Amino acid sequence: MRLTSFTDYGLRMLMRMASAPDRAFSTGELADEFGLSRHHLTKIMQRLAKGGVVSTRRGGGGGAILARAPQDISVGAVVRLLEEGQALVECFAATGGSCTIAGCCRLRARLYSARNAFLTELDRSTLGDVALSESTGRAASKVVQT
Amino acid sequence: MRLTSFTDYGLRMLMRMASAPDRAFSTGELADEFGLSRHHLTKIMQRLAKGGVVSTRRGGGGGAILARAPQDISVGAVVRLLEEGQALVECFAATGGSCTIAGCCRLRARLYSARNAFLTELDRSTLGDVALSESTGRAASKVVQT
């Protein structure tokens, strides 16, 4: 089982933003710090803003800031938002896929329960629990620059 | 979050085999019934045989048969086997990936716990619980043939 890079990178961004929840971060700054594509992070930030996890400000001194306190944003909620539209298996897709047994499947409900167990476990953690330390941010930055 | 088609298709094959656990199935027969690639299913069956979930026989009347009773094979065990080598996120890969915060990450252990919760939930079901009925198999076959 895999999470998308969209979710993987989005979580890294939010962990960094949670280390300094009072200031705005630009996607360029986060892309440089983690050595990731600015274009990709911009799309992720747009999803996070649309989902109400971050607030964005345009112009000088602009950027994105957590919309709520880190301890009030659950990791599970973030993963649900970033994984939106990802089908665990073919029949979970909006199109329903082409599985010939979809109509009489006794596995489907069990897969839903397992996915819920995964997300419920993540609901036990918040961005406050997984925030990077400022020093970690600097260390990460150094790694990228060397 | 997504499971690989390798796992998705492998589960369909085993659900069908669990509907008639006493007879051997050829990958060609299963590929025809579900409208899937015979080549792909052959690779999946090889993994299932290597993992001890099925036993294979060569030659006339050959094919694959469940190695144990359906109620003695957990869905979780099958998913662990078929998802082997799939990294939930970049840092779960054998290579470790290139995440700059992997060394001091407070999220990693939480993602492991969530993955375990997913698999533990699937451990509650066996192939006996999700076996297709014979009629389902025929229905599936008809769908493919029309």
Side-chain angles (χ1 to χ4, degrees):
Chain A
M1 62 194 280
R2 297 161 297 169
L3 296 177
T4 60
S5 62
F6 201 80
T7 299
D8 187 354
Y9 299 167
L11 286 167
R12 298 181 203 180
M13 295 162 76
L14 292 170
M15 289 161 71
R16 180 70 181 93
M17 293 172 74
S19 70
D22 299 330
R23 79 168 177 88
F25 287 79
S26 72
T27 51
E29 171 187 3
L30 293 166
D32 292 343
E33 178 165 328
F34 294 124
L36 299 172
S37 153
R38 180 179 302 204
H39 176 71
H40 196 36
L41 296 201
T42 299
K43 290 186 170 299
I44 296 169
M45 196 66 90
Q46 288 168 347
R47 173 82 64 93
L48 292 171
K50 193 176 173 191
V53 174
V54 304
S55 305
T56 55
R57 306 175 190 151
R58 293 193 173 284
I65 188 165
L66 293 182
R68 299 187 299 286
Q71 61 271 27
D72 295 335
I73 303 173
S74 83
V75 173
V78 169
V79 170
R80 283 183 187 87
L81 174 65
L82 294 174
E83 288 287 308
E84 200 176 301
Q86 287 298 321
L88 181 64
V89 289
E90 184 180 359
C91 64
F92 280 37
T95 61
S98 61
C99 179
T100 57
I101 58 174
C104 46
C105 185
R106 291 191 285 173
L107 177 63
R108 186 182 167 96
R110 291 171 163 86
L111 288 175
Y112 268 112
S113 297
R115 184 176 64 172
N116 288 340
F118 176 88
L119 293 168
T120 299
E121 180 65 23
L122 292 181
D123 284 333
R124 297 174 53 206
S125 300
T126 71
L127 291 185
D129 299 321
V130 299
L132 298 179
S133 65
E134 281 287 353
S135 61
T136 303
R138 284 197 296 277
S141 184
K142 283 206 193 78
V143 170
V144 174
Q145 286 161 13
T146 52
Chain B
M1 61 195 278
R2 297 161 296 167
L3 295 177
T4 60
S5 62
F6 202 79
T7 299
D8 187 354
Y9 300 166
L11 286 167
R12 296 181 204 180
M13 294 161 76
L14 292 170
M15 289 161 71
R16 180 68 182 97
M17 293 172 73
S19 70
D22 298 329
R23 79 169 179 90
F25 288 79
S26 72
T27 52
E29 170 187 4
L30 293 166
D32 292 343
E33 177 166 329
F34 294 124
L36 299 172
S37 152
R38 180 179 302 206
H39 177 72
H40 197 35
L41 296 201
T42 299
K43 289 185 171 300
I44 297 169
M45 196 67 90
Q46 288 168 348
R47 173 83 65 94
L48 292 171
K50 193 176 173 188
V53 174
V54 305
S55 305
T56 56
R57 307 176 189 150
R58 294 195 173 286
I65 189 166
L66 293 183
R68 300 187 299 285
Q71 62 270 27
D72 295 334
I73 302 173
S74 84
V75 173
V78 169
V79 170
R80 284 184 187 87
L81 173 65
L82 294 174
E83 288 287 307
E84 199 176 300
Q86 286 298 321
L88 180 64
V89 289
E90 183 179 359
C91 63
F92 280 38
T95 62
S98 62
C99 179
T100 57
I101 59 173
C104 45
C105 185
R106 291 190 286 173
L107 177 63
R108 186 182 168 96
R110 290 171 163 86
L111 288 175
Y112 268 112
S113 297
R115 185 176 65 172
N116 288 340
F118 177 88
L119 292 168
T120 299
E121 180 65 23
L122 292 181
D123 284 335
R124 297 175 53 207
S125 300
T126 71
L127 292 185
D129 299 321
V130 299
L132 298 180
S133 65
E134 282 287 352
S135 60
T136 304
R138 285 196 296 275
S141 185
K142 282 205 193 79
V143 171
V144 173
Q145 284 160 15
T146 51

